[in-house]
């Protein structure tokens, strides 16, 4: 991952926040196997369960992707405006589109196959599964769905840039957000969530012609966060002289909304045939919690983790690779410990640490060095 630069100021805290969110996503996916829900579609369900993981999954699932989309939206217009459409898409094809296609064709089938492998004494042949069942009832894009939807948002941004290139120019005047901006954004994202929830279950996934896998209830919400990132870049938010969120009010609001959201979610939205009024309440609590925790984490990292220390630098540099490979590490380790009857906290903690360390080591000392050799060889050919 490239360190992000805005003008002459390195945005270390945004790099570090993105790395943190990806590491959180890893332990989030480890925790999926320990929920009491006995998820039929999840890769490896452990024999041990605890209600804590239900709550952990419910709350973490709200904000990890909005933060990812907002950070992507923050830096995309800078590159698009500075380097142009051709260079912008050359980079996105290499870093986003090709990993998306490769992940869907070669890694997602392995992840989907693990559903059968972890549950059956005699699972089917993998290659037969890949040719038939994967492109049928077991089709998914695993975590690569994010790259597909992000590519779609980049297309929308590019079209908007072509139609109105002046808007994506950075504003000369750095202005703080008005008092109504964040309440309006919360209502907008709540309306987006609610409108989708009228037609789809709030956690439903939809396969769109084997091209996109998306959550229709959250698609517009994610687009709003991507757009908010674009707006924040245009108005120089998070820079030294621009708007920076204050940790205390955002942090207190996020903690309050954490409890409000969880209580509402468990009480009203896990019932069958949720009434429309309760769906509206779910949309509002979901949207408000997502917004408050997003800006609380931005404020926290800007205040305390705007650092170029060695560990942060290496985590930031390897975070994208960790994102791409983490399920390939989680699944075999999950299968190994699946039926071990030991303390659940020891098991979950040990698996999380081992997965994080292995992912980092593979990214730092195996995958990225190989990719660097390929780049060096290409550069040598160019200059020879």
């Amino acid at each position: 991952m490239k360190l992000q630069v805005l003008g002459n100021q390195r945005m270390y805290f945004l790099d570090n926040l993105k790395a943190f969110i990806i590491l959180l996503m890893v332990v989030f996916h480890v925790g999926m196997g320990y929920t009491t829900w006995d998820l039929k579609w999840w890769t490896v369900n452990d024999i041990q369960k605890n209600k804590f993981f239900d709550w952990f999954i419910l709350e973490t699932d709200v904000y990890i992707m909005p933060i990812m989309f907002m950070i992507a939206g923050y830096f995309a217009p800078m590159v698009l405006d500075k380097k142009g459409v051709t260079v912008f898409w050359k980079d996105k094809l290499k870093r986003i589109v090709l990993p998306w296609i490769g992940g869907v064709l070669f890694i997602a089938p392995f992840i989907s196959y693990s559903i059968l492998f972890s549950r059956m004494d005699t699972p089917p042949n993998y290659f037969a599964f890949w040719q038939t069942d994967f492109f049928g009832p077991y089709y998914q894009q695993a975590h690569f769905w994010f790259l597909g939807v992000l590519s779609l948002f980049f297309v929308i941004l590019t079209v908007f840039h072509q139609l109105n290139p002046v808007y994506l120019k950075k504003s000369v005047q750095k202005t703080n957000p008005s008092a109504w901006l964040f309440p309006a954004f919360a209502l907008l994202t709540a309306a987006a969530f609610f409108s989708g929830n009228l037609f789809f279950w709030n956690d439903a996934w939809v396969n769109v012609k084997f091209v996109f896998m998306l959550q229709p209830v959250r698609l517009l919400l994610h687009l709003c966060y991507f757009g908010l990132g674009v707006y924040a870049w245009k108005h120089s938010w998070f820079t030294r002289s621009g708007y920076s969120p204050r940790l205390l009010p955002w942090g207190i609001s996020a903690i309050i909304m954490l409890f409000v959201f969880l209580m509402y979610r468990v009480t009203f939205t896990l019932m069958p045939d949720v009434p429309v009024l309760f769906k509206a309440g779910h949309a509002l609590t979901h949207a408000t919690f997502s917004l408050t925790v997003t800006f609380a984490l931005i404020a926290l990292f800007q205040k305390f983790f705007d650092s170029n220390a060695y560990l942060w630098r290496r985590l930031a540099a390897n975070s994208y690779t960790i994102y791409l490979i983490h399920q390939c590490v989680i699944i075999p380790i999950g299968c190994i410990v699946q039926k071990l009857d030991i303390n659940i906290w020891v098991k979950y903690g040990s698996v999380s640490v081992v997965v994080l360390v292995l992912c980092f080591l593979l990214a730092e000392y195996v995958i990225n060095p190989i990719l660097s050799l390929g780049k060096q060889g290409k550069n040598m050919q160019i200059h020879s």
Side-chain angles (χ1 to χ4, degrees):
M1 186 179 113
K2 300 175 182 177
L3 287 174
Q4 306 292 356
V5 181
L6 191 65
N8 295 321
Q9 177 189 359
R10 285 191 182 275
M11 310 294 284
Y12 292 122
F13 72 94
L14 286 181
D15 283 315
N16 297 342
L17 175 57
K18 185 176 179 181
F20 168 77
I21 289 297
I22 288 176
L23 297 183
L24 179 62
M25 188 182 302
V26 174
V27 299
F28 168 89
H29 283 148
V30 173
M32 290 285 287
Y34 296 86
T35 64
T36 63
W37 300 320
D38 192 28
L39 302 172
K40 303 299 182 184
W41 50 268
W42 188 244
T43 55
V44 183
N45 286 331
D46 200 88
I47 62 168
Q48 294 178 283
K49 310 288 182 183
N50 191 284
K51 195 74 175 176
F52 166 81
F53 294 100
D54 300 359
W55 295 70
F56 173 63
I57 297 305
L58 285 176
E59 64 91 13
T60 309
D61 184 52
V62 171
Y63 56 83
I64 51 177
M65 299 319 301
I67 292 176
M68 293 281 283
F69 280 115
M70 183 174 174
I71 293 175
Y74 188 87
F75 290 108
M78 174 177 62
V79 179
L80 188 57
D81 180 59
K82 184 178 294 186
K83 298 187 177 180
V85 173
T86 302
V87 174
F88 177 82
W89 273 104
K90 183 178 180 180
D91 177 70
K92 298 312 175 189
L93 286 171
K94 180 175 64 176
R95 288 181 51 81
I96 304 297
V97 177
L98 289 180
W100 168 38
I101 296 172
V104 170
L105 292 179
F106 301 109
I107 298 180
F110 160 75
I111 294 171
S112 190
Y113 179 75
S114 68
I115 299 171
L116 301 178
F117 183 85
S118 66
R119 290 164 172 78
M120 300 173 63
D121 293 331
T122 308
N125 177 272
Y126 173 75
F127 294 102
F129 170 86
W130 187 88
Q131 291 176 316
T132 56
D133 290 341
F134 176 69
F135 291 100
Y138 288 93
Y139 181 78
Q140 61 165 297
Q141 294 191 6
H143 53 289
F144 297 97
W145 72 268
F146 167 68
L147 303 183
V149 174
L150 185 59
S151 300
L152 176 62
F153 290 175
F154 286 146
V155 170
I156 294 172
L157 181 67
T158 304
V159 172
F160 186 82
H161 175 263
Q162 295 297 96
L163 295 176
N164 190 6
V166 176
Y167 180 82
L168 289 187
K169 298 288 184 182
K170 181 173 287 295
S171 177
V172 176
Q173 185 179 4
K174 299 177 181 179
T175 57
N176 288 332
S178 63
W180 58 264
L181 177 62
F182 292 119
F185 184 81
L187 290 174
L188 175 64
T189 50
F193 189 100
F194 175 70
S195 60
N197 201 197
L198 291 175
F199 303 98
F200 298 92
W201 178 52
N202 47 264
D203 295 320
W205 288 90
V206 172
N207 173 11
V208 183
K209 303 293 185 181
F210 295 96
V211 177
F212 297 106
M213 284 292 297
L214 50 86
Q215 290 177 290
V217 176
R218 304 191 192 195
L219 179 64
L220 290 179
L221 181 146
H222 291 158
L223 180 59
C224 288
Y225 273 91
F226 183 84
L228 183 62
V230 174
Y231 182 87
W233 172 82
K234 178 177 174 61
H235 294 279
S236 300
W237 289 9
F238 318 134
T239 61
R240 290 189 181 93
S241 56
Y243 167 72
S244 293
R246 292 188 295 154
L247 179 57
L248 187 61
W250 281 109
I252 292 174
S253 300
I255 292 171
I256 292 172
M257 285 309 305
L258 167 64
F259 290 102
V260 171
F261 168 77
L262 285 176
M263 291 300 101
Y264 195 97
R265 183 82 162 87
V266 172
T267 304
F268 296 111
T269 67
L270 297 181
M271 63 175 70
D273 300 322
V274 179
V276 172
L277 185 62
F278 290 169
K279 288 183 178 182
H282 180 202
L284 187 60
T285 55
H286 182 109
T288 307
F289 176 48
S290 177
L291 179 63
T292 54
V293 75
T294 295
F295 278 83
L297 284 173
I298 290 173
L300 178 69
F301 272 74
Q302 188 170 24
K303 186 175 181 63
F304 294 108
F305 302 105
D306 191 16
S307 169
N308 192 31
Y310 178 79
L311 181 58
W312 277 120
R313 191 166 70 249
R314 298 321 306 156
L315 285 173
N318 290 288
S319 61
Y320 183 54
T321 304
I322 291 172
Y323 173 80
L324 295 177
I325 69 171
H326 74 276
Q327 288 279 34
C328 297
V329 179
I330 289 175
I331 291 170
I333 294 177
C335 288
I336 291 171
V337 305
Q338 181 182 22
K339 297 180 180 179
L340 292 181
D341 189 11
I342 59 176
N343 182 279
I344 189 172
W345 306 112
V346 172
K347 182 189 285 190
Y348 172 74
S350 300
V351 170
S352 296
V353 170
V354 169
V355 168
L356 288 172
V357 170
L358 281 178
C359 285
F360 176 79
L361 293 177
L362 285 170
E364 174 80 350
Y365 297 107
V366 180
I367 298 174
N368 287 340
I370 292 174
L371 295 177
S372 296
L373 285 175
K375 292 178 182 177
Q376 292 174 7
K378 187 178 293 186
N379 290 336
M380 290 176 65
Q381 289 179 353
I382 292 173
H383 295 292
S384 62

